[in-house]
Amino acid sequence: MQEAPAKKIRTDLFDAPFLRRIEHLALLARRMATSGQRAQRRSKKIGSGIEFADHRDYTPGDDPRYLDWKVYGRTERLLLRQYEEEEDLSVYFLIDRSTSMGMAPAGELNLFERSLQVTAALSYISLSNLDRVAVVPFSTTVERPDRSLRGKGQFFRILRLLSSLQIGGPTNLPNTLRDFARHRPRRGLVVLISDFYDPRGLDDGLRYLAFRGFEVMVLQLCDSRLFEAGHFGDLALVDCETGERRELCMTPELLVAYEEAFIEFSTDIANAAREVGARHLRVDVSTPFDEMVMKVFRSGGFLG
Amino acid sequence: MIGALTDWQSWAMTTGGVLVAIGLLYLLRPRRRQIQVPFGGLWQRVLAKAEARALGRRWRRLFSMLAIWAIAGLMLAALGEPLVGLRGCSGPPDLEASHTILLIDTSASMATLDGVPLQVDVDAIADQRISRLDEARARLREVIASARPAERFLVVSAAGRLHTRSGWTSDAAVLKHTITTLQAGQAGLDLRQAWAAAQDALTGRLRPRIVWISDGGPALQAAPVPAGVEVLSIQVGRPPAPDRPAGLDNLAVERVGIRPSPADPGRGTLTVRIRNDRARAVNARVTIMATAEGQTAADFSGPAALKTTRTEEIGARSARWLQFNQVDLSAGRFAVRVQPSEQAEWRDLAGYDDRAYAVAAIRRPLKVLLVSDGNLFLEAALLANPRLTFHKEKPETYRPERWAAADRALHHVDLVVLDRVAAPPPPGQPHLRFDPLAHANTLAGTKYVGAPEMVIAPGEHPLLRGLSLQDTNADRARILEVPQGAEVLIRARGNGPLAVASSEGLRRVVIGLDLYDTDLGGRLTLPILMGNTIDWLAGDEEALLPPLDLGRVWAIEAPVRGLKWTYRQPGGDTTPARVAGDQLIASSELHGIHQWHGSDGTILARSTRLAATERPGLQVALGRPWQPPPSVEQARGQPASRPPWQWLLLLAMVALLVEWPLYLRRRTV
């Protein structure tokens, strides 16, 4: 269940310098964009736009105005010209708010807070591009999202929404993405922000989204600082979400093996994303905020 | 008392301690720290991969656990080792009271400079030459350092006499100070007395023990070991090395003798016996010194005291008599010193026996009664002796009873000479008789022999000193009978005795010669024979007063009645003399000349001598040799076996070094 929007915005995350920085990032993004004032992000929907997209065979009932007569003159085949339909892009920010996202060294921003900041920045950029923005937090299941917001004037509403989100619950990605795809008929860009720490994996969920025609960007946040402190010796590792306990003798070699396993895990996620045509980006939480946002902005399809 | 625990009790205590330690270690075992992780599945994947190495890891953990147990066990054993001890390594501390006498030989030979330096004392001895007593001191410190907790010591030094240097104490500081004050004396060792005294001191004491520290001595073999007393011995001094001949760099004066010249009693022949303990012949420089009042070596050191010096070769490990003729005897007190010659490249290691002292006997004037019809030979011989005054009497007027002891206040003579007189000598009077008539004396012979060949009988009778009968002739001589106890001096070859001396009761000498029937009277032999005989009859046959044994109790005959006597030892103060009956009693360990002063101005002087047994040679020690404990050997800087607890700690440290990297894998760095 989605929390009610907070009356106040979390100033620890979204203070005045932060707002100035995302304004600056928005300017940078605008320079990088090639299109004009509206609908600057083209959808994949074929419709009544002016940009040629493809040909298809004519079937009875089709509008004869779209027949390509030049092709017919050369080949005597009736082909119908198809144009990309330009429409407002819906950007869905699916934010993982499971317990694992809340882990961080003392005094540092955790993944969840960083994901809120990234979402805020990308939302501002999207709103600036007149895209529709929706914030969808999830853990075990996805809350039914509010309606999409459009226009920069809605930015503070988004900030209040982000400020109201709380961490809690385990992660269930397949269930979450299936529910999201079922509840959202309007296709668009799904920015899935999570650590993806789910033993069930990401594959099924992404297939749901792809099947429903969503363009997906997988933003994998990770925190390499958690094991930099060097906990060695006999340890009992407790899963923060499931409470499952594993006893081991932590050694430097084991830590190296963990890093290798994490890379393998990330590779699995990237492969899963690639299989469904989604973009994958892994960002460490220690990456400077501006760099992180622009990296996401570039690779996330926000520029079309 | 731990010492009274039986084996099974000790093992029960050890087992109990181990069980307690196991319990503590279980309570204190390392607990796993809980770390919250965002995704346990990832670790599960890591662990699944690491499963291939699980066997090695398991072995490592097992080894780590064993190392921890080893460390704990070794530490426990090391801490408990001094309390319960380890079988076969060392025992528990001996807390039972015990009493040990540190019996130290401080006789003169302990001053010999062939002590074996221990490492702890090397720095303190500048020239690396230490005496046997220095070595003994160092060894004693080791004995004290290795004392048992409840052990009490009594320090006793033994030379000629026994000295208790401390009371029973376990205070190491007191004992070490006492040991520092020990000095080698100048007397010989009386081990039997020391042994008896030590046994007395240990009577009724718990666990009596004697630690005997000495360079040995001939009396050791005969000394009875006290029953029930543990005897440990420490032998000091450097034993001869196998690769060099036995011997010691030492010259010694063994004996001194004086023979007054018959012709000139103011001079005499001084004989000295020098011993060389070296393994090769040496040149010895012998110095004769004489003074009238000297007592110590310093008194004899001035140039005025020097009489003569001579260098003679003494064979390897042998002794030799040296003779110094025409020595002026008027001083009366002599000191003889022997040294290596000035060119010698070796040093005398035993200085205590380099000097000897002698006091010449003071010849008292004698009064002689000569009973004779007139014998010029005899009178001339008596007149030649300056210490004699004689009274002549004809045989017709001679009344023996007149010279009896009752009338000696009026008619005192010291001895009587009877020449061809049948009358008996005065009762109780020593006498010399020439040509006795048969009926006049039991020694008288029964027959004459013509032209006897006179032969001096073998032996060293004082009457025969310097006597020679070579080319002496006699027309006839009387063969004497020899009663029991008499000694034949001159014999007629093939016939019988011609001169007999007897000391049974009174001293008397009978010579079966008529001086008119022999040419003896015209020779030098007669005054020599007369001088020897008169000295012997008067009891003054010794030219030197017999020396006193250092360290023994002396009893000197002296006219003590009616006089007050004081005693002065060499270099010492004058003290009232001890008197017992008609004897002066004294004892000292100071080598030199001791003297007594009578209130009438009489001075008695006697020299001392070392015990004949006090030689620098090493002898076999008594009892069981004392072995220094490992801690003492370590203190000497020698490689020594460490006590068990140190080994245990060392092993624990090694185990800890092995465990440490393993530990780091399991604990936060």
Side-chain angles (χ1 to χ4, degrees):
Chain A
M1 180 178 176
Q2 185 174 352
E3 291 80 355
K7 297 285 181 66
K8 292 185 178 179
I9 297 171
R10 285 180 62 176
T11 53
D12 57 334
L13 295 177
F14 311 119
D15 53 0
F18 175 79
L19 297 179
R20 281 195 293 275
R21 284 165 64 187
I22 61 174
E23 178 62 33
H24 175 69
L25 290 173
L27 286 173
L28 287 177
R30 198 170 298 133
R31 287 178 190 168
M32 293 167 68
T34 56
S35 58
Q37 290 294 319
R38 83 181 273 276
Q40 295 174 7
R41 169 65 171 85
R42 280 176 288 185
S43 72
K44 287 184 178 180
K45 184 178 179 181
I46 305 299
S48 56
I50 59 173
E51 288 291 326
F52 174 77
D54 201 358
H55 288 96
R56 71 172 174 85
D57 290 336
Y58 172 79
T59 56
D62 288 336
D63 191 346
R65 289 180 298 172
Y66 295 107
L67 281 171
D68 191 338
W69 296 107
K70 292 181 179 177
V71 173
Y72 178 77
R74 290 196 299 270
T75 64
E76 294 184 350
R77 285 183 63 188
L78 288 175
L79 295 176
L80 206 62
R81 292 167 63 95
Q82 288 186 315
Y83 295 89
E84 288 186 355
E85 186 179 11
E86 290 185 355
E87 62 178 7
D88 295 344
L89 177 65
S90 292
V91 180
Y92 302 97
F93 292 99
L94 268 65
I95 303 173
D96 182 1
R97 66 178 190 90
S98 65
T99 306
S100 63
M101 292 288 284
M103 295 197 64
E108 302 287 342
L109 286 181
N110 55 37
L111 297 182
F112 177 69
E113 290 168 335
R114 184 61 88 185
S115 68
L116 294 182
Q117 288 183 330
V118 171
T119 301
L122 294 176
S123 297
Y124 185 76
I125 295 171
S126 297
L127 290 174
S128 300
N129 291 339
L130 302 176
D131 292 332
R132 293 179 183 275
V133 172
V135 175
V136 184
F138 69 92
S139 59
T140 305
T141 181
V142 68
E143 287 83 3
R144 186 179 179 84
D146 283 346
R147 63 184 179 86
S148 298
L149 303 174
R150 188 179 181 206
K152 289 174 67 174
Q154 299 298 324
F155 178 63
F156 285 96
R157 184 182 173 90
I158 289 176
L159 288 185
R160 279 195 292 274
L161 173 62
L162 293 174
S163 300
S164 68
L165 297 181
Q166 299 293 325
I167 288 178
T171 310
N172 191 337
L173 286 171
N175 193 32
T176 298
L177 298 181
R178 186 173 61 242
D179 287 352
F180 174 78
R182 191 163 54 224
H183 294 147
R184 277 284 167 183
R186 185 183 175 86
R187 290 170 292 181
L189 174 62
V190 174
V191 180
L192 182 56
I193 306 174
S194 173
D195 54 9
F196 301 104
Y197 287 152
D198 186 356
R200 287 169 286 269
L202 183 62
D203 304 37
D204 292 344
L206 286 181
R207 286 197 193 98
Y208 275 118
L209 292 177
F211 179 74
R212 290 288 182 173
F214 288 98
E215 189 177 356
V216 181
M217 181 198 175
V218 176
L219 178 57
Q220 181 188 2
L221 293 180
C222 61
D223 191 349
S224 62
R225 302 168 304 180
L226 285 178
F227 271 86
E228 283 179 356
H231 298 279
F232 292 105
D234 287 335
L235 302 177
L237 303 183
V238 180
D239 191 302
C240 65
E241 293 183 1
T242 64
E244 192 176 356
R245 178 184 171 96
R246 286 181 178 82
E247 292 186 349
L248 53 81
C249 178
M250 181 63 75
T251 64
E253 291 79 7
L254 202 62
L255 200 57
V256 171
Y258 174 79
E259 291 173 356
E260 293 172 352
F262 180 77
I263 292 172
E264 188 179 342
F265 169 75
S266 301
T267 305
D268 291 344
I269 293 174
N271 290 338
R274 191 182 306 116
E275 282 183 7
V276 296
R279 298 179 181 85
H280 170 261
L281 182 63
R282 176 161 59 95
V283 180
D284 194 280
V285 72
S286 60
T287 306
F289 177 70
D290 295 0
E291 181 184 341
M292 180 188 295
V293 170
M294 294 312 294
K295 189 182 287 185
V296 174
F297 187 76
R298 284 195 201 97
S299 63
F302 291 90
L303 298 177
Chain B
M1 295 294 288
I2 290 181
L5 291 179
T6 59
D7 284 350
W8 72 267
Q9 284 174 322
S10 299
W11 281 110
M13 286 182 61
T14 307
T15 307
V18 170
L19 291 176
V20 170
I22 290 173
L24 288 174
L25 289 172
Y26 176 78
L27 294 174
L28 298 173
R29 73 186 192 279
R31 306 213 178 247
R32 293 178 184 273
R33 289 172 301 126
Q34 286 197 355
I35 302 293
Q36 213 169 32
V37 294
F39 187 36
L42 204 54
W43 284 108
Q44 183 61 41
R45 191 181 295 186
V46 171
L47 291 176
K49 283 188 173 182
E51 194 63 28
R53 300 192 300 269
L55 186 62
R57 191 167 60 249
R58 206 170 293 135
W59 273 108
R60 196 165 58 234
R61 289 185 63 82
L62 180 62
F63 188 74
S64 174
M65 186 185 71
L66 291 175
I68 291 175
W69 277 106
I71 292 169
L74 291 168
M75 296 286 282
L76 191 67
L79 291 174
E81 192 269 338
L83 186 65
V84 299
L86 293 176
R87 295 283 181 266
C89 295
S90 69
D94 190 350
L95 301 177
E96 196 173 347
S98 59
H99 295 81
T100 299
I101 289 183
L102 300 176
L103 188 55
I104 304 131
D105 180 1
T106 55
S107 64
S109 63
M110 290 293 282
T112 307
L113 294 173
D114 68 340
V116 180
L118 304 183
Q119 183 134 356
V120 290
D121 276 347
V122 164
D123 295 337
I125 308 299
D127 59 356
Q128 303 290 313
R129 285 282 191 188
I130 65 170
S131 68
R132 294 175 182 176
L133 190 63
D134 290 329
E135 180 189 349
R137 288 195 194 97
R139 303 293 293 273
L140 279 169
R141 291 189 195 100
E142 291 184 342
V143 174
I144 293 168
S146 63
R148 294 175 289 211
E151 188 170 16
R152 301 177 72 199
F153 292 94
L154 180 70
V155 181
V156 177
S157 67
R161 288 180 291 174
L162 203 68
H163 297 276
T164 303
R165 303 287 181 175
S166 74
W168 286 104
T169 180
S170 56
D171 190 332
V174 171
L175 291 168
K176 289 178 180 176
H177 174 72
T178 304
I179 289 165
T180 306
T181 61
L182 292 176
Q183 295 293 333
Q186 296 174 321
L189 173 66
D190 187 351
L191 182 60
R192 190 174 293 274
Q193 178 199 13
W195 226 234
Q199 193 170 16
D200 289 344
L202 288 172
T203 302
R205 301 281 180 179
L206 293 173
R207 300 178 67 189
R209 191 168 73 147
I210 296 175
V211 178
W212 163 241
I213 302 166
S214 171
D215 58 351
L220 285 177
Q221 302 295 336
V225 176
V229 179
E230 183 186 11
V231 178
L232 301 173
S233 66
I234 299 173
Q235 190 168 33
V236 296
R238 191 185 304 274
D243 57 343
R244 62 184 172 86
L248 183 76
D249 291 346
N250 182 43
L251 284 172
V253 182
E254 280 194 332
R255 292 174 66 183
V256 178
I258 292 179
R259 181 180 299 167
S261 172
D264 184 1
R267 292 187 175 273
T269 300
L270 192 142
T271 53
V272 179
R273 185 175 170 87
I274 303 295
R275 190 183 74 242
N276 172 27
D277 290 328
R278 294 198 82 201
R280 59 184 61 179
V282 299
N283 289 324
R285 185 157 58 99
V286 183
T287 306
I288 307 296
M289 295 155 285
T291 63
E293 297 177 346
Q295 284 190 274
T296 64
D299 298 335
F300 287 93
S301 61
L306 179 65
K307 296 301 178 188
T308 182
T309 298
R310 192 199 304 175
T311 301
E312 294 283 349
E313 182 180 284
I314 312 295
R317 302 186 65 189
S318 63
R320 178 182 167 193
W321 280 102
L322 301 180
Q323 186 168 304
F324 296 81
N325 297 318
Q326 295 296 312
V327 176
D328 182 5
L329 303 182
S330 59
R333 299 183 183 185
F334 299 91
V336 181
R337 184 184 183 190
V338 63
Q339 299 167 278
S341 67
E342 293 174 350
Q343 291 78 24
E345 296 176 349
W346 58 281
R347 177 183 173 191
D348 193 328
L349 298 180
Y352 64 91
D353 55 5
D354 293 347
R355 290 177 186 272
Y357 300 92
V359 175
I362 299 173
R363 305 272 162 170
R364 58 192 172 100
L366 294 175
K367 195 173 180 180
V368 179
L369 172 63
L370 174 61
V371 183
S372 172
D373 277 334
N375 190 327
L376 293 179
F377 298 113
L378 204 52
E379 291 177 16
L382 292 174
L383 286 171
N385 194 332
R387 63 185 297 209
L388 299 181
T389 56
F390 65 92
H391 173 75
K392 290 189 291 184
E393 192 163 326
K394 294 288 185 180
E396 300 82 34
T397 59
Y398 169 62
R399 300 282 188 276
E401 61 276 9
R402 185 180 165 204
W403 301 96
D407 298 329
R408 289 176 73 179
L410 294 175
H411 307 284
H412 169 72
V413 290
D414 296 291
L415 53 94
V416 178
V417 178
L418 301 170
D419 178 35
R420 294 174 297 162
V421 175
Q429 200 70 266
H431 59 273
L432 165 65
R433 183 187 289 272
F434 282 95
D435 189 22
L437 300 180
H439 62 277
N441 196 284
T442 55
L443 289 178
T446 55
K447 64 174 183 178
Y448 284 99
V449 293
E453 181 185 354
M454 292 184 283
V455 179
I456 294 176
E460 293 185 352
H461 199 280
L463 267 69
L464 303 176
R465 285 178 183 167
L467 200 66
S468 172
L469 295 177
Q470 190 176 11
D471 298 333
T472 301
N473 304 305
D475 293 337
R476 64 171 189 165
R478 184 185 294 275
I479 302 301
L480 305 176
E481 292 181 352
V482 182
Q484 188 175 3
E487 186 176 352
V488 178
L489 305 178
I490 301 171
R491 184 181 298 275
R493 190 185 299 275
N495 287 298
L498 295 181
V500 176
S502 171
S503 56
E504 290 287 324
L506 293 174
R507 289 188 173 185
R508 47 190 171 157
V509 177
V510 179
I511 299 173
L513 288 173
D514 182 349
L515 292 180
Y516 285 99
D517 292 337
T518 175
D519 58 359
L520 185 67
R523 297 178 179 274
L524 188 58
T525 302
L526 182 61
I528 293 175
L529 177 63
M530 288 297 292
N532 289 345
T533 304
I534 288 171
D535 284 347
W536 186 72
L537 290 175
D540 296 337
E541 70 273 19
E542 295 293 337
L544 286 177
L545 294 174
L548 307 172
D549 288 332
L550 279 169
R552 304 295 170 85
V553 178
W554 308 322
I556 299 161
E557 291 185 7
V560 297
R561 289 176 184 169
L563 295 177
K564 289 185 178 179
W565 289 88
T566 56
Y567 166 64
R568 186 170 187 268
Q569 59 181 354
D573 298 331
T574 301
T575 57
R578 291 171 57 198
V579 177
D582 56 352
Q583 293 180 323
L584 298 170
I585 307 299
S587 179
S588 174
E589 294 187 343
L590 294 177
H591 194 25
I593 295 175
H594 299 248
Q595 62 188 32
W596 289 260
H597 297 256
S599 55
D600 63 345
T602 305
I603 297 178
L604 298 179
R606 302 294 284 272
S607 63
T608 58
R609 68 178 175 191
L610 291 171
T613 57
E614 194 61 15
R615 292 212 178 174
L618 300 175
Q619 301 293 327
V620 179
L622 269 178
R624 183 163 54 88
W626 180 80
Q627 295 293 338
S631 58
V632 172
E633 290 184 359
Q634 191 176 10
R636 283 188 196 171
Q638 297 173 350
S641 56
R642 296 175 183 277
W645 66 269
Q646 287 189 9
W647 282 114
L648 293 171
L649 278 184
L650 191 64
L651 290 174
M653 292 298 294
V654 171
L656 188 61
L657 286 176
V658 173
E659 164 58 13
W660 186 248
L662 305 174
Y663 170 81
L664 288 180
R665 290 172 176 269
R666 291 180 281 108
R667 301 297 296 176
T668 301
V669 181

